[in-house]
Amino acid sequence: MTTPVTGAGPRTLLALASTAVALAAADTYVVVLALTDMMSGVGLGLDNLQRAAPIISGFLLGYIAVLPLIGRLADVISRSRILLGCLAIFVIGSGITALAVDLDVLVAGRVVQGVGGGGLVPATLALVADLWPPGRRGMPLGMVGAVQELGSVLGPLLGAAVLVVADWRAIFWLNVVLGILLAVAIGFVTRGSEERGRPRILTWVLGVATAGLLWLTLAAPPSLATDVYLGLPFVPFAGDSRVFTPIGLVTALLALALAAMTVRRWWPPLRESDVPGALLLGTALGCVVLTFSSADPETEVVGPLGYALLPVALVAAIAYVWRHRTAASPLVPRGTVRGRTPWALLVSLLVGVALVAVVVDVPLFSRLTTSGSQTDAAMELVKFLVAVPVGALLGGWILRWVGDGLSAGVGLVLASGGLLAMSGWDRGSLDELSSTVTLALVGLGLGMALAPVNDAALADSPQHAHGTASSLVVVARMVGMVVGLALLTGVGLHRYYQAVEALPREQQTDGQALLDAALLQVHTVFVGAAGAALVGAVLALVFLGIRRREGSGSLARGFGVEE
C-alpha cells in the first residue's frame, strides 16, 4: 500500500482541484457572449444559428456521457492522476477549439473540453471524502460547490473581458495557459506521493512531437502552408479540410504509436473500470443529451434526431442494466446506489430542473418586459448566480449541526417559494427591489442543496466507489438541466399557443396581447420549476435525514492514492 500524504499537501491539492473545477465551470458559459464570433470564425453566419447548436451541446455531450467512466477511474487509480489526466484533456480540447477554422473541428474541441472539464468534478468531490470523515464533509463539499457555481458566474464576465482586448480564440488559449499552470502546481504538490516508474524519454518525445504536429496541422501557418515545397504536407486530400492532409495523417499515426507504447499503463485501469458498461451508459446519456439539447425551444421539445436517438438510448440503458447484473466488476460497483444515494440523485436531478429554468427564463423575462440589452438581461441573472455559491457555502456550513435532508429541504422550500413569487411577476417587477431579493433567495436556496446531496451520496456509498457516486450526482443534475429545460419550455410554449389561439382574431397580431401570452409561457416555466424544487424538498426532508450523522475523526485515504 502506498503511504498517503497528510498535512498541508492534500488540502493544497483540494484547493488546486477546486480551482480547476471553477475553470471548467467557467468554460460552460464562456461561449455565451462569444458564440456569434465563434460562428464567424468557422464560416457560419447568424442565419445558421441552428448549425451552431453543437458548439454548446458538444461540450455537454463530453461533460455528461463520460462522467461515469471517469468517476470509476477515480476509484481505480489515484485522484491526483485523474486530475492531471483531465486537465491534460481539457488543455488539448481548448487548444483544438482555439485553432479551429471549421465547425467539425470546433465541435470536436468542445467535446474534448467537456470530457476533461467534467471529469474534474467527481475526482475533486471524492477528494473531500478522502480528507474528511462522514459528518465533517459539509463545509468542504460546500466550498467545491461554491467554486463550481462561482466559475459559472465568472465565465461570461471572463469572456466579455477577453473580447474587449482580443478575439474569441484568446479565451481558449487562456484556458490552455491556466490549465498547464494548474497541472504543474498539482504535480508539484503530489510529487513523491506515488510510486513512479523510470521516466520514459521516448514516450515524452513522441508525445511532444504529436502535440507539435497537431498544432501545425490545425494552425497551418501561412509561411509554411503557402510555400511551393513546404506547403505540400498541408494540401488537403479532398476539399479544404486542414485535418485530412498528409501532415494530419502523420499526426494521427504518431498518436496511434503513442497509444500503443503506453497501452500497458492505461489499459489495465480501463479494463477494471468496465469499458463495455461505460460505452453503453455513455451511449444512453449521450442520446438523451443530444435529443433535448439540440431541440429548438420555440418549436419542439425533442430535437430533429430525437425520435431515432431515444429508442437507441432505451436499448443502451437496458443493455447496461444487463451488463451491470452480469459483469464481474461493473462500471457502477454493486452497492454504490444504496441507502440515501438514489434519493440524493433524484434530488440532484430536480435541483438541475429548477436551476436551468432560472438561468434561461430570467434573461428572457427581462428582454420581454424591459427595453434593456442582452447584457442588461444577463446582469439580472447575475443577481441569482452570485447567490448560488453563497448558498452552497451556507448549506455545507450548517451540516455541522443538522442532517443533509434538513439543509437541502429548507433550501429547496425557499427556492420553491421564490419561484412561485416569480410566476406572478409583471412588466414592472424587475424595477422593484423585491425582484432582486427574490432572485437572491432562489439562488441561495438552490445552492443550499448542492453540498447535502453530495454528502448523502458519499456517506452511503462504499469508500471504494466515492468517485463513481460523485459522478452520478453530477450526471443527475446535468440531465435534469438538459431534460428539464426542454420539458418546461415545451409546456410553456403549449400554453403560449393556447393563449394566442384564444385571442380574438383582431388581437392575434397585437403586440401587447402577444406579450401577455409570452409572459404566460415564462410564468409556466417558473411554476414548473417551483414544483420541481418543492418535490425535491419533500424527498430531501423525508429520505436524506433531518439529524446530523456523526463520523469518525480520522482521515480516510489521504487524497486517493491507490491501496
Side-chain angles (χ1 to χ4, degrees):
M1 181 180 69
T2 307
T3 304
V5 172
T6 56
R11 289 163 178 76
T12 304
L13 176 61
L14 182 60
L16 292 170
S18 299
T19 305
V21 167
L23 176 63
D27 211 65
T28 307
Y29 296 99
V30 78
V31 301
V32 171
L33 297 179
L35 184 60
T36 54
D37 291 338
M38 294 172 70
M39 291 171 58
S40 177
V42 295
L44 293 180
L46 293 178
D47 56 338
N48 288 310
L49 189 59
Q50 190 63 25
R51 288 188 61 197
I55 297 175
I56 298 174
S57 60
F59 185 88
L60 289 173
L61 176 64
Y63 197 103
I64 297 175
V66 190
L67 257 179
L69 176 60
I70 297 180
R72 180 62 182 140
L73 282 171
D75 293 324
V76 174
I77 60 179
S78 68
R79 319 290 193 211
S80 57
R81 287 174 60 187
I82 289 294
L83 289 171
L84 289 172
C86 288
L87 273 172
I89 294 171
F90 181 75
V91 165
I92 292 171
S94 298
I96 293 173
T97 303
L99 291 168
V101 294
D102 60 67
L103 182 61
D104 292 340
V105 175
L106 180 60
V107 171
R110 292 290 289 166
V111 171
V112 175
Q113 278 186 283
V115 171
L120 292 167
V121 181
T124 303
L125 292 173
L127 274 176
V128 174
D130 292 341
L131 294 171
W132 282 269
R136 295 174 56 192
R137 295 171 181 159
M139 194 61 180
L141 286 173
M143 291 180 65
V144 175
V147 297
Q148 185 177 10
E149 298 304 323
L150 185 62
S152 302
V153 177
L154 296 178
L157 301 178
L158 176 64
V162 173
L163 290 174
V164 170
V165 297
D167 69 358
W168 65 270
R169 299 181 190 276
I171 295 173
F172 299 100
W173 286 124
L174 181 61
N175 283 343
V176 171
V177 173
L178 294 177
I180 291 174
L181 290 176
L182 283 169
V184 170
I186 289 173
F188 179 79
V189 169
T190 60
R191 70 193 189 283
S193 62
E194 301 181 54
E195 296 178 0
R196 306 180 186 272
R198 291 177 299 177
R200 296 170 172 82
I201 296 178
L202 182 58
T203 301
W204 279 99
V205 170
L206 193 58
V208 172
T210 303
L213 280 178
L214 178 62
W215 175 82
L216 282 174
T217 298
L218 298 178
S223 58
L224 296 177
T226 59
D227 188 90
V228 175
Y229 299 106
L230 296 178
L232 290 177
F234 298 92
V235 177
F237 295 122
D240 57 358
S241 172
R242 291 186 178 180
V243 176
F244 297 106
T245 58
I247 191 171
L249 178 61
V250 173
T251 302
L253 292 175
L254 276 181
L256 289 174
L258 180 63
M261 288 183 62
T262 58
V263 66
R264 291 185 178 180
R265 301 179 63 184
W266 54 261
W267 176 243
L270 271 179
R271 182 177 55 196
E272 187 177 347
S273 300
D274 186 21
V275 174
L279 290 173
L280 291 171
L281 187 55
T283 298
L285 291 171
C287 287
V288 170
V289 170
L290 291 176
T291 293
F292 293 100
S293 65
S294 62
D296 182 358
E298 295 185 0
T299 59
E300 58 192 1
V301 175
V302 176
L305 297 177
Y307 296 104
L309 292 174
L310 286 179
V312 174
L314 179 61
V315 171
I318 294 173
Y320 173 74
V321 171
W322 174 83
R323 173 72 186 180
H324 179 80
R325 292 176 178 274
T326 58
S329 179
L331 175 69
V332 178
R334 297 182 184 90
T336 300
V337 185
R338 67 181 184 185
R340 296 179 298 162
T341 302
W343 301 109
L345 299 182
L346 187 53
V347 173
S348 184
L349 184 143
L350 293 168
V351 169
V353 174
L355 270 170
V356 77
V358 180
V359 169
V360 173
D361 279 71
V362 164
L364 175 60
F365 181 85
S366 176
R367 295 300 301 273
L368 289 172
T369 59
T370 69
S371 57
S373 64
Q374 184 68 32
T375 302
D376 295 325
M379 291 308 297
E380 292 294 338
L381 182 60
V382 167
K383 299 173 184 177
F384 163 79
L385 292 175
V386 168
V388 176
V390 176
L393 287 174
L394 177 62
W397 180 64
I398 64 177
L399 288 181
R400 296 180 177 183
W401 299 282
V402 304
D404 300 308
L406 187 58
S407 177
V410 169
L412 290 174
V413 167
L414 292 176
S416 180
L419 285 163
L420 279 178
M422 290 164 60
S423 69
W425 280 356
D426 56 27
R427 290 177 178 82
S429 294
L430 290 180
D431 296 327
E432 301 174 0
L433 178 62
S434 60
S435 68
T436 299
V437 174
T438 302
L439 283 171
L441 184 68
V442 175
L444 192 75
L446 293 178
M448 286 178 63
L450 297 179
V453 295
N454 283 306
D455 187 56
L458 287 170
D460 283 24
S461 61
Q463 182 175 309
H464 66 269
H466 281 159
T468 305
S470 299
S471 70
L472 294 178
V473 173
V474 178
V475 166
R477 186 165 73 247
M478 297 298 292
V479 169
M481 293 179 72
V482 172
V483 178
L485 174 61
L487 294 179
L488 291 179
T489 303
V491 174
L493 284 172
H494 178 69
R495 294 200 64 190
Y496 168 81
Y497 290 126
Q498 280 186 326
V500 172
E501 290 175 2
L503 291 171
R505 185 178 299 275
E506 63 273 10
Q507 292 186 18
Q508 289 186 359
T509 57
D510 179 70
Q512 291 300 319
L514 292 176
L515 176 60
D516 289 337
L519 291 180
L520 177 62
Q521 172 198 337
V522 176
H523 291 160
T524 301
V525 172
F526 288 152
V527 170
L534 184 59
V535 172
V538 172
L539 293 177
L541 290 168
V542 173
F543 295 107
L544 297 190
I546 303 298
R547 295 182 179 179
R548 174 179 178 268
R549 293 191 175 192
E550 296 293 338
S552 64
S554 61
L555 294 179
R557 270 208 303 165
F559 52 86
V561 177
E562 295 175 276
E563 296 186 3

